[in-house]
Amino acid sequence: MNCLRVPRILMPKEGTDLYKWSVIACDQYTSQPEYWKEAEKIVGDAPSTLKLTLPEVYLGGLDEKGRVEAIHQNMEDYIKNGILQELPAGFVLVKRSFGKQDSRYGIVVEIDLETYEYRKGEHSLTRPTEMTVEERIPPRLRVRQQAVVELPHIMLLIDDPEGSVIESLVKRTDSFRQIYDTELMLKGGHISGWLIPEGKETDMIMNKIEQLADPKVFQEKYGLKEEYPLLNFAVGDGNHSMATAKAAWEQIKEGLTEEERKVHPARYCLCEIVNIHDKSLEVEPIHRVLFGIEKEEFFKAAKAYYEEKGCRVEVEKQADAVPGSSEEVHCFTYCHESGSGVIKIIDPIWGIAAATIQTFLDAYLAEHKETRIDYIHGMDVVERLGTKEGNMGLLLPEIHKEDLFKGVILDGVLPRKTFSMGEANEKRYYMEGKIIRKI
């Protein structure tokens, strides 16, 4: 089943200052209002996606309602006044540079929301990598319900180790029309985009992506010994934005005929597809620190939990380095005030180490209300916090890119805070848009 459709992209009219136009995803810098104040200062009175989106730092604020109303009015004004103009139907090939050795490449497409589900236990062709917190949807829905324009910061991942889809396009950028090329504000790097017009090229892209989920290819790629539901796309970033688009579409389609549902623009969500094997993507584990914990009781609870699941547990009371994990053994280095060691879960029933530890931690925390958890990126911070009295740090093993898809296939959506994909300033900046509702 083909999940994609060729969009008619909206871009600002020629002559617009794209440096001021493009701002970072609204779910970044949520604890740093000063970042957004600086963005507002840079933008000034110029046309900008900052005026079409609601930075989540302002969610729940006293002026949220006024901001949302202004966003809806700005969208309509940008359409009526010709600030936003529709390009011919096509995909957009994107190159994003961060000052690192490798640039990130992607293609902006429309995904059919009928092929996507975010609720746990669903087996759609497009699925989130991490659990969706449904309580986060309603405030975002207030922005989308009356919006006439959609701006994407969603990143969909494909598992294409051969580089047959996006990488084959990168070598031929000279054959496509460049539609933007600009620096991005506030350490966002540089971005360029080329329009791939609808036709043989877009058909070939969609066919290649569909082939990635061919049942035989799928079975062999992941070494599956039994049949599992096919997975074509995994949501890498913007999970709650995509869930909001789905929730909005479910509301809209209730009032439509079957024929209207097939073509309604809100059925399709704009996003960027990136190969999980793109050299620029650095997938890093997110570690854990537990506060208010008694370590021996913790080890006892862990052994009881895992043995009940059919696993074996070994706790080694010293560790010189973070051990690697394999399919047969998932290893976690721990540290506390009196030393460090390794917890080994042998014959795990989960496909990825983060799922192995987090399912236990969720159960443990439910029974121990006095214990608190935090999710930490840096190993040095884990060691500093974890070695304080009454605390424990847990270092997760390195994540291999190919394990992400296999983890979703075997375990369902992964636990929250399983992995991090790039720094905050590397997240997607708003650039393209599309109409989702008639004025």
Side-chain angles (χ1 to χ4, degrees):
M1 179 181 179
N2 182 25
C3 302
L4 304 182
R5 190 173 79 159
V6 182
R8 292 186 67 89
I9 296 289
L10 288 173
M11 281 293 295
K13 66 181 181 181
E14 190 174 345
T16 302
D17 187 342
L18 296 181
Y19 180 80
K20 295 180 179 181
W21 170 259
S22 190
V23 298
I24 202 163
C26 64
D27 59 350
Q28 299 302 307
Y29 301 104
T30 54
S31 299
Q32 297 170 255
E34 64 275 10
Y35 175 95
W36 295 102
K37 294 295 183 186
E38 181 63 22
E40 289 173 6
K41 184 179 177 182
I42 292 170
V43 168
D45 295 328
S48 177
T49 55
L50 184 60
K51 299 171 183 178
L52 305 179
T53 54
L54 179 65
E56 294 187 2
V57 69
Y58 300 125
L59 276 179
L62 294 176
D63 60 345
E64 179 188 322
K65 183 179 179 182
R67 285 180 178 272
V68 172
E69 290 174 351
I71 288 168
H72 295 153
Q73 187 59 56
N74 289 336
M75 287 179 174
E76 294 189 17
D77 290 345
Y78 281 17
I79 295 292
K80 290 176 180 177
N81 298 333
I83 293 172
L84 277 170
Q85 300 181 346
E86 238 178 23
L87 300 177
F91 293 156
V92 177
L93 174 64
V94 179
K95 176 184 179 182
R96 176 83 177 278
S97 304
F98 317 101
K100 297 181 178 179
Q101 181 176 353
D102 297 301
S103 298
R104 185 176 76 212
Y105 290 91
I107 47 175
V108 177
V109 302
E110 277 186 325
I111 186 84
D112 186 351
L113 290 169
E114 290 290 335
T115 69
Y116 161 74
E117 295 290 345
Y118 58 83
R119 291 182 174 87
K120 190 174 182 180
E122 298 285 353
H123 297 122
S124 51
L125 281 169
T126 306
R127 276 174 255 163
T129 48
E130 295 187 347
M131 191 176 297
T132 303
V133 181
E134 293 191 39
E135 292 77 11
R136 293 182 62 185
I137 295 175
R140 291 154 182 79
L141 201 54
R142 290 195 292 270
V143 181
R144 189 175 181 91
Q145 280 171 326
Q146 299 302 317
V148 297
V149 173
E150 173 186 73
L151 299 158
H153 69 261
I154 297 163
M155 185 189 293
L156 287 185
L157 301 174
I158 55 173
D159 188 0
D160 182 21
E162 303 302 322
S164 65
V165 181
I166 300 170
E167 289 77 2
S168 64
L169 298 169
V170 170
K171 302 170 185 177
R172 296 185 286 114
T173 54
D174 288 347
S175 63
F176 307 125
R177 176 164 70 94
Q178 189 169 62
I179 54 174
Y180 58 78
D181 184 52
T182 184
E183 292 294 314
L184 296 170
M185 67 171 71
L186 298 173
K187 300 180 180 179
H190 190 97
I191 192 168
S192 305
W194 296 264
L195 183 68
I196 305 174
E198 183 174 24
K200 291 182 179 179
E201 201 78 58
T202 56
D203 288 345
M204 183 178 65
I205 291 168
M206 289 190 285
N207 287 335
K208 284 182 177 180
I209 290 176
E210 192 173 354
Q211 287 169 19
L212 296 176
D214 174 84
K216 185 178 179 181
V217 173
F218 185 81
Q219 198 86 5
E220 292 176 355
K221 182 191 294 185
Y222 301 110
L224 302 175
K225 297 176 183 177
E226 57 184 275
E227 283 193 21
Y228 283 85
L230 300 174
L231 175 65
N232 209 173
F233 300 97
V235 185
D237 264 336
N239 181 48
H240 287 89
S241 289
M242 192 160 181
T244 300
K246 175 71 172 183
W249 168 238
E250 291 296 324
Q251 292 180 355
I252 291 168
K253 76 178 186 179
E254 287 300 315
L256 303 177
T257 66
E258 282 300 318
E259 287 304 310
E260 288 171 333
R261 289 180 182 184
K262 291 178 183 178
V263 296
H264 196 285
R267 171 175 171 160
Y268 300 89
C269 183
L270 211 58
C271 57
E272 182 179 348
I273 295 175
V274 176
N275 187 3
I276 186 67
H277 300 280
D278 188 286
K279 292 180 180 179
S280 74
L281 282 187
E282 297 176 358
V283 180
E284 299 176 351
I286 300 177
H287 309 296
R288 277 73 168 147
V289 174
L290 298 166
F291 303 85
I293 192 169
E294 202 289 305
K295 68 177 187 299
E296 294 303 329
E297 197 280 332
F298 177 82
F299 294 147
K300 182 179 177 181
K303 286 188 176 183
Y305 178 86
Y306 288 115
E307 287 173 1
E308 184 184 347
K309 302 290 184 183
C311 313
R312 289 192 296 118
V313 180
E314 292 180 3
V315 178
E316 298 179 358
K317 296 297 179 78
Q318 63 179 31
D320 298 321
V322 181
S325 286
S326 65
E327 289 187 6
E328 294 77 24
V329 184
H330 289 170
C331 300
F332 310 91
T333 299
Y334 68 84
C335 61
H336 52 78
E337 59 185 307
S338 56
S340 62
V342 178
I343 302 171
K344 294 183 177 180
I345 313 301
I346 302 165
D347 298 326
I349 62 173
W350 299 270
I352 194 168
T356 297
I357 195 66
Q358 191 62 43
T359 49
F360 163 63
L361 290 177
D362 287 343
Y364 183 86
L365 292 168
E367 295 292 327
H368 296 77
K369 303 298 184 184
E370 73 282 3
T371 303
R372 184 173 62 85
I373 192 170
D374 198 4
Y375 300 90
I376 308 294
H377 291 264
M379 293 174 61
D380 55 338
V381 179
V382 174
E383 292 167 358
R384 177 166 53 83
L385 294 176
T387 53
K388 291 185 177 180
E389 184 178 357
N391 295 355
M392 177 183 288
L394 292 168
L395 293 173
L396 273 66
E398 179 184 356
I399 292 178
H400 300 288
K401 292 180 178 182
E402 55 271 22
D403 288 345
L404 290 180
F405 269 72
K406 191 169 184 178
V408 174
I409 293 163
L410 297 180
D411 301 335
V413 293
L414 304 177
R416 56 199 171 94
K417 304 294 184 182
T418 294
F419 65 93
S420 172
M421 192 172 291
E423 301 297 327
N425 66 309
E426 297 176 11
K427 301 298 182 180
R428 197 173 202 282
Y429 273 58
Y430 298 113
M431 179 65 79
E432 309 87 353
K434 84 174 187 89
I435 292 173
I436 56 172
R437 186 174 66 85
K438 293 180 180 179
I439 298 177

